[in-house]
Structure formats: structure tokens, C-alpha cells
């Protein structure tokens, strides 16, 4: 039995799941926060409730346009972990970027570099398209260990640490990202990267990161999403 397990028994606590380890997640948070805080292009917007940064101009207009074209080549309805098909809370369409494609490799390296997280922790990069009326209702990106899907996700890299999202276009109307507990609403802007820690400073799930993609009321919205895990990400697991 490990020292941590023995101490937990002595104080009557529970041993944390090793794939959602607060110590490891807090360390990841500290490292990324320090890196972003030292970046002159990064704007801290989470206040005392969360760690959230904006990086305007992360991608150029030409890079954004190229990614929009790729996203349009292969789309399927977005899903949720709680609903396998046509979820009522998420009505966008998703494109999964081919892992070895040049555009995926280049984009992944850029996001990894700005956050300082190794690519082995990164899930498959996704692109989302929102048409008029489509949205993603309020949710958190971290996993809840009491939910059935955790049994699988803990074997695919475990808990999510940081999320990164890049807007690819200007939306005619609507489509903002809302963080109600932070009092923050972000208007889509081509090339703007938003990065936030799904954990608090003690490495525990931070419910203040609850957010929503508000409905698009005119035009279309395109974004890139990248999630990072505590451990090494694997689409397949044993």
C-alpha cells in the first residue's frame, strides 16, 4: 500500500483516482499558468475564480480561412458523453482532424508551444461549425468520476487539465462564449485563442469554468477545440 493510501486511511479520507490526481493536475496548472502569465500576448481574464487567458491574433486570417475549408470537408453531428446521438444540448457539427495531416501537426505544435504541454497529452484536434440556431449549452469540460463514461475516459488519459479554443471567423450575430460564473462573455474574433484550466489551484474540478456556446442568430461560427489530459491521450485503450 502506498504512503498516500495509508495516510488517507488514517485521516478517514479517500484515495484520489490516480488518473485524476490533484497533485499532478495542480502541477500542470502551475506550469501552464506561469508560462501564459509570462507571455506578453496573453490577457488574464479569469480573476480569482479560474485561470483563463485570451491570446488575440494567435492565428492569421489566412490560417483561419484554410482551417474553415478543411472543417467543411467532413462534418458529422456533435455528440456528448451523456448522449450518443443528436444531443439536445449540443447542436453543432464536428470535424476530427487527421492526426498525421500537415495542418494538424502544425496547429497542434502551435497550441502545445503556447501552453507548454507535450502533444502526448492532447486529444484529437476538433473543429466545430455552428449554423443559425445552433449552440452548446452550459457545461464543464472536466470529467465527473461518478458518471459511467469515466470508466472509459480514465483509461484514455484520465482527467482533462486545460482546454484551448480558437475562433476562426467573425459571426454575424450571436455565437459568443459565456462563462456566467466569471461574468465573462467572449465575442468570436478570427484567430483569438481562449485557454482555461478546468481545475482549480488545488487540482480539483473547477465549476467556475462552466461555459456555453450561445446560439448563433445570424451567419455561421467556426472554432478549433483542443483538450489536454493528465496522462497520455489514447483513442484506443486496453
Amino acid at each position: 500500500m502506498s504512503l498516500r493510501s495509508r495516510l488517507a486511511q488514517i485521516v478517514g479520507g479517500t484515495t484520489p483516482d490516480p488518473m485524476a490526481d490533484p497533485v499532478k493536475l495542480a502541477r500542470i496548472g502551475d506550469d501552464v499558468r506561469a508560462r501564459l502569465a509570462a507571455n506578453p500576448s496573453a490577457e488574464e481574464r479569469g480573476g480569482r475564480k479560474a485561470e483563463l487567458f485570451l491570446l488575440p491574433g494567435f492565428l492569421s486570417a489566412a490560417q483561419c480561412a484554410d482551417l474553415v475549408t478543411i472543417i467543411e470537408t467532413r462534418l458529422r453531428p456533435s455528440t456528448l458523453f451523456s448522449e450518443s446521438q443528436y444531443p439536445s444540448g449540443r447542436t453543432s457539427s464536428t470535424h476530427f482532424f487527421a492526426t498525421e495531416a500537415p495542418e494538424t501537426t502544425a496547429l497542434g505544435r502551435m497550441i502545445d508551444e503556447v501552453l507548454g504541454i507535450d502533444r502526448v497529452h492532447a486529444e484529437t484536434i476538433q473543429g466545430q461549425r455552428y449554423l443559425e440556431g445552433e449552440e452548446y449549452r452550459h457545461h464543464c469540460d472536466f470529467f465527473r468520476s461518478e458518471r459511467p463514461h469515466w470508466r472509459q475516459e480514465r483509461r484514455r488519459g484520465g482527467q482533462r487539465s486545460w482546454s484551448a479554443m480558437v475562433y476562426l471567423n467573425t459571426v454575424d450575430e450571436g455565437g459568443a462564449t459565456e462563462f456566467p460564473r466569471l461574468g465573462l462573455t467572449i465575442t468570436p474574433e478570427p484567430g483569438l485563442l481562449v485557454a482555461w484550466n478546468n481545475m482549480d489551484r488545488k487540482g480539483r474540478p473547477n465549476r467556475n469554468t462552466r461555459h456555453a456556446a450561445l446560439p448563433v442568430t445570424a451567419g455561421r461560427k467556426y472554432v478549433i477545440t483542443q483538450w489536454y489530459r493528465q496522462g497520455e491521450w489514447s483513442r484506443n485503450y486496453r
Side-chain angles (χ1 to χ4, degrees), residues 5-130:
S5 298
R6 290 176 182 175
L7 289 173
Q9 286 184 351
I10 292 171
V11 300
T14 58
T15 304
D17 189 316
M19 297 310 296
D21 188 330
V23 174
K24 292 181 179 179
L25 290 164
R27 187 180 301 121
I28 294 169
D30 290 344
D31 291 345
V32 178
R33 179 179 67 253
R35 189 178 185 88
L36 290 173
N39 186 333
S41 299
E43 305 171 10
E44 198 285 317
R45 298 293 298 276
R48 296 183 177 180
K49 294 183 176 180
E51 295 169 349
L52 184 148
F53 294 82
L54 305 184
L55 286 88
F58 176 73
L59 294 179
S60 69
Q63 289 171 316
C64 290
D66 288 344
L67 290 168
V68 167
T69 299
I70 294 170
I71 289 171
E72 282 287 353
T73 62
R74 185 177 65 254
L75 285 161
R76 64 188 191 190
S78 301
T79 60
L80 291 172
F81 283 99
S82 57
E83 301 175 65
S84 60
Q85 287 189 319
Y86 309 111
S88 59
R90 190 184 188 196
T91 51
S92 61
S93 296
T94 293
H95 172 96
F96 289 90
F97 283 80
T99 304
E100 302 302 326
E103 63 273 6
T104 307
T105 303
L107 179 59
R109 285 176 178 168
M110 290 180 66
I111 301 174
D112 297 344
E113 175 64 24
V114 77
L115 269 65
I117 303 178
D118 193 281
R119 178 106 303 245
V120 298
H121 299 283
E123 295 183 28
T124 303
I125 297 177
Q126 297 182 21
Q128 276 83 35
R129 182 192 69 185
Y130 294 82

Side-chain angles (χ1 to χ4, degrees), residues 157-232:
Q159 184 61 279
R160 281 175 172 164
S161 56
W162 284 75
S163 295
M165 179 175 67
V166 188
Y167 300 107
L168 300 180
N169 71 311
T170 299
V171 182
D172 293 341
E173 229 177 88
T177 304
E178 180 187 56
F179 289 83
R181 296 190 180 188
L182 303 181
L184 178 65
T185 301
I186 305 169
T187 301
E189 171 188 316
L192 171 64
L193 182 146
V194 185
W196 66 91
N197 186 359
N198 294 295
M199 303 292 110
D200 63 21
R201 292 207 175 187
K202 294 184 178 180
R204 304 168 303 191
N206 188 351
R207 296 186 183 279
N208 290 323
T209 60
R210 186 170 179 265
H211 59 285
L214 300 180
V216 172
T217 52
R220 297 183 173 195
K221 172 184 171 183
Y222 294 90
V223 298
I224 292 293
T225 51
Q226 174 69 84
W227 295 286
Y228 292 91
R229 300 294 186 103
Q230 172 191 300
E232 294 189 12

